[in-house]
Amino acid sequence: MPRRVWIGILPILIAAASGAQNAPIVTEAEYLSAFDDSHPAVRASAEALARAEAAVRAAATLDNPTIGAVRENPSADVRQLDLVASWQIPDAARGREIEAREREADAARARFEQAITSHRVAMREAYALWAVANARRELLESQAARVEDLARREAARTEKGEASRLEAHRLGLAAGALRSRVALAEAEASRARAQASIWAPTIADTAIPVLPALAETPVHQGQHSRVRAAEALSLIHI
C-alpha cells in the first residue's frame, strides 16, 4: 500500500485506540466474580435447599414438654404445691420421617449444585458471545475505516485524472458494504452486551470485554509438534 494512504489512516487508528483506552477493560474472571452468594440466581436456587434443610430440622425436633403447677390448700395449716411435667413420646414413624427428609435434602443439595454449575456455564457463554461480538465489531470498523479512506483518496485521484473511475466506484461500493456490516455487527454487539448485563448488571456500559483464552486442544498440540518437527528438519538441511 502506498505510504500516503497509511498517513491518512493513521489519525483514524489513533483516535479509535484513544477511545478504547478510556473505556474500562473487563476480563472473564472479573465478569464471573459478580456471581457470588449475593447474586439473585444463587439466592433463588438456595431457597429450595433451605426449605429442605428446615424440613429435616423440623422432623428431628421433639415437641417441648408441658410443665404445670397445681396448688392445694386442704386446711389453713397445710398447703400443697404439685408440679406436673408431661411430654409426648415419639412414635415409630419419626425415624422414617427423618430419613425421608434427609434424602429430600440431599436431592435438593444436588439440584442446587447443578443449578450453580449451569448458571456459571451460562455466564461464561454470555461473556464469550459478548467478547466475540465486540471483537468482530472492532475489526469490521477498522476495515471499513481503511476502505473508506482508500475510496476517498481514489475518488480524489479520479477527479485529477490519475485513476480509473471504475476502480473508484468499486472501492465506494466495497466501503458501503463494509459499513453495512459494521452496523449489523454493532447491533449484534449491543444484543450480546444486553444479555451479558443480565448476569452482571454492575458492569459499566462502556466496558470492553477481553477475549477469553482458549485452552490448547490435542489437535493444536499435534499441529505445533508438526511445525517444530518441520523447523528442525529445515535446520538440518541448511
Side-chain angles (χ1 to χ4, degrees), residues 10 14 26 32 34 41 51 57 120 128 135 155 173 176 184 192 196:
L10 187 59
I14 293 176
V26 178
L32 294 177
R51 288 194 297 267
R57 291 191 295 270
R120 289 188 180 277
L173 291 178
L184 293 175

Side-chain angles (χ1 to χ4, degrees), residues 20-21 24-25 27 37 46-48 54 60 65 67 69 74 84 96 137 183-184 193 224:
Q21 290 176 356
I25 302 298
T27 64
D37 293 340
E47 289 181 359
I67 300 177
V84 180
R96 294 192 295 271
R137 179 194 60 78
L184 293 175
R193 170 66 179 84
H224 292 165

Side-chain angles (χ1 to χ4, degrees), residues 83-164:
L83 298 178
V84 180
S86 62
W87 63 89
Q88 183 178 1
I89 300 177
D91 55 13
R94 177 173 178 269
R96 294 192 295 271
E97 182 180 358
I98 294 175
E99 183 179 0
R101 297 301 182 185
E102 288 177 345
R103 290 181 178 179
E104 292 177 357
D106 291 339
R109 192 171 297 107
R111 289 192 296 269
F112 172 76
E113 294 175 355
Q114 182 181 4
I116 294 301
T117 301
S118 299
H119 292 331
R120 289 188 180 277
V121 171
M123 280 193 71
R124 295 191 67 181
E125 182 179 0
Y127 179 85
L129 292 175
W130 177 31
V132 170
N134 187 73
R136 182 173 182 271
R137 179 194 60 78
E138 291 180 345
L139 179 61
L140 287 174
E141 179 64 38
S142 176
Q143 292 177 347
R146 294 181 182 183
V147 175
E148 286 172 350
D149 186 75
L150 286 173
R152 286 192 298 267
R153 291 182 174 273
E154 196 68 15
R157 293 181 60 200
T158 300
E159 294 296 330
K160 297 178 183 179
E162 298 176 356
S164 169

